Amino acid sequence: MDKVYQHGLCNIAACMATNSGEGLFDNRDAILGAPFRFEWEWLDHASMFTAYFDWFDIVTKYSPLYRRGWVVQERLISPRTMHFSTFPFWECSRMVTCETYPLEAYAQKYQWLPLPEKGIPISSEPPEETWLRIIEHYSNCELTRFSDKLIALSGVAKMFSPHMGGDYHAGLWESRLIQDLLWQVRKHASGGETSAERPLEYVGKIPSRDLINLEIC
Amino acid sequence: MGFLSRSLETCIHDHPSCQVPNPENWIPTRLLDVRPTTAVDSVRLIERYSVLEEHNHKAPPYLTLSHVWGDEQFFTLTKDNITELNEGIQLSLLPLCFQHAIEVTRRLNIRYIWIDSLW
């Protein structure tokens, strides 16, 4: 599965559709995405500022598509993605850009996989930290079947494995066992608390402190 | 679409780091050939060996689709319907999401797309 996305020219992401009966093209309200200007007191004089909606952040965290854990992997592994949402935006390893934004506003901000084999230049962030950001992202997603969480992560884990030093077991890297077992429950973006319940199928197989066990109430 | 199409062009031409090498000319087992047909607008399911044969054993570019499956049932590839699907799937019978994805593929002048829930 990961090979399919890796070798595709570009991935098309239907971000807003909640089932395949809904399309890619949204009837968009032009006001919604437009930058807005406001005046603000700054130091000792008033200045005009321009604010932009962070579509990339909103869609990649809260859209119907990206709430699904399976899809996170598809986005990370594809070399390029066209995100179809209220305001379409483009993502590749070199830039994230949106029609409503000044050009390259996000240039190189989201370096997910700095892997030389993929031809992506190494970023200043160590791979271990990139991995943690990805895990945090997965922990916030809803996966219809809980047992799918590890599988949904497996393609990405495979790509990271040459860089993490040691074996990979159920969401944990041998080289980082201590650090990765230290986590705390944080309030979910929607306001609910994450539940630390462990589904029966995992008892005895996955260490109880594993991040993968977090479920969203 | 213009903005996305230009972004793709820019990336292909100016971002060598975004090119994923494919020395083995790997492509998925099956793809949808979206080249418009003269009769009722259809797309064809095509097997890997046929694609490679047509393109001199060099992997042609293809798009992929990420989408929410939902609960709706639509037809999927089975042993029984594979011949039918090789001949053509009427575009209007496909779910809207797939119709749009196929339209995007055509507008970008790409011939193939991979959609996981179809097979």
Side-chain angles (χ1 to χ4, degrees):
Chain A
M1 179 74 102
D2 42 297
K3 218 170 168 180
V4 172
Y5 288 94
Q6 194 178 1
H7 290 290
L9 180 75
C10 184
N11 189 36
I12 295 172
C15 301
M16 310 310 283
T18 56
N19 60 65
S20 34
E22 295 175 18
L24 300 183
F25 309 120
D26 204 3
N27 287 323
R28 59 192 195 184
D29 184 347
I31 303 293
L32 209 61
F36 56 93
R37 290 173 65 75
F38 61 95
E39 193 175 306
W40 196 29
E41 288 269 326
W42 175 250
L43 298 175
D44 60 351
H45 58 273
S47 287
M48 288 299 289
F49 289 85
T50 306
Y52 298 86
F53 280 103
D54 192 339
W55 282 112
F56 181 79
D57 195 58
I58 293 169
V59 171
T60 54
K61 282 185 184 156
Y62 307 116
S63 66
L65 184 69
Y66 289 113
R67 296 288 303 155
R68 299 297 206 267
W70 287 111
V71 181
V72 178
Q73 184 158 250
E74 291 165 17
R75 187 184 140 225
L76 296 186
I77 294 173
S78 301
R80 309 170 182 94
T81 303
M82 292 183 177
H83 298 274
F84 283 87
S85 60
T86 310
F87 284 91
F89 57 94
W90 166 269
E91 179 181 11
C92 64
S93 68
R94 283 280 305 275
M95 69 184 187
V96 170
T97 182
C98 181
E99 249 183 322
T100 61
Y101 281 57
L103 197 65
E104 299 214 15
Y106 275 125
Q108 298 190 351
K109 181 179 179 183
Y110 294 93
Q111 286 261 5
W112 282 108
L113 290 172
L115 301 174
E117 307 84 1
K118 243 188 110 177
I120 298 171
I122 298 184
S123 78
S124 51
E125 183 181 65
E128 297 85 4
E129 280 179 33
T130 311
W131 174 257
L132 281 177
R133 277 202 291 121
I134 291 171
I135 288 288
E136 206 176 311
H137 208 95
Y138 266 94
S139 300
N140 282 329
C141 288
E142 302 150 5
L143 271 164
T144 320
R145 285 169 45 178
F146 189 77
S147 54
D148 293 334
K149 263 189 186 169
L150 289 179
I151 304 169
L153 193 50
S154 60
V156 178
K158 214 178 355 172
M159 297 188 85
F160 264 79
S161 90
H163 304 270
M164 297 298 279
D167 293 330
Y168 172 74
H169 304 286
L172 294 170
W173 295 97
E174 208 175 348
S175 56
R176 292 185 48 89
L177 216 49
I178 310 269
Q179 300 98 307
D180 287 350
L181 285 171
L182 291 168
W183 50 261
Q184 61 179 128
V185 170
R186 204 165 49 177
K187 266 200 175 355
H188 186 244
S190 67
E193 288 227 341
T194 54
S195 152
E197 276 177 25
R198 298 175 65 215
L200 281 174
E201 63 201 283
Y202 268 8
V203 169
K205 289 184 196 156
I206 314 272
S208 59
R209 294 285 294 169
D210 197 323
L211 263 179
I212 290 288
N213 282 318
L214 287 179
E215 270 280 24
I216 307 299
C217 291
Chain B
M1 270 300 306
F3 156 76
L4 291 172
S5 163
R6 283 191 302 275
S7 302
L8 179 63
E9 283 299 308
T10 304
C11 184
I12 290 172
H13 291 119
D14 300 347
H15 300 169
S17 58
C18 291
Q19 313 289 347
V20 178
N22 190 8
E24 289 156 28
N25 283 297
W26 186 91
I27 54 169
T29 319
R30 287 178 201 94
L31 287 169
L32 268 187
D33 180 349
V34 307
R35 197 161 57 171
T37 51
T38 48
V40 175
D41 199 1
S42 305
V43 293
R44 289 189 314 133
L45 187 68
I46 184 162
E47 307 284 323
R48 173 192 277 157
Y49 65 85
S50 301
V51 176
L52 289 174
E53 215 170 31
E54 191 177 333
H55 296 269
N56 273 323
H57 300 278
K58 293 214 71 187
Y62 64 91
L63 301 185
T64 51
L65 176 66
S66 284
H67 67 106
V68 174
W69 286 33
D71 295 325
E72 277 179 39
Q73 292 296 315
F74 44 86
F75 67 79
T76 48
L77 174 70
T78 62
K79 253 195 328 218
D80 303 319
N81 65 18
I82 188 168
T83 327
E84 216 178 293
L85 299 185
N86 286 148
E87 283 160 24
I89 310 160
Q90 210 174 305
L91 201 61
S92 56
L93 295 179
L94 290 173
L96 195 64
C97 191
F98 299 1
Q99 289 187 35
H100 286 179
I102 288 163
E103 190 185 325
V104 168
T105 313
R106 286 172 171 173
R107 288 214 227 170
L108 294 173
N109 291 315
I110 305 290
R111 192 157 153 203
Y112 302 102
I113 184 170
W114 183 88
I115 298 177
D116 57 352
S117 43
L118 268 184
W119 45 71

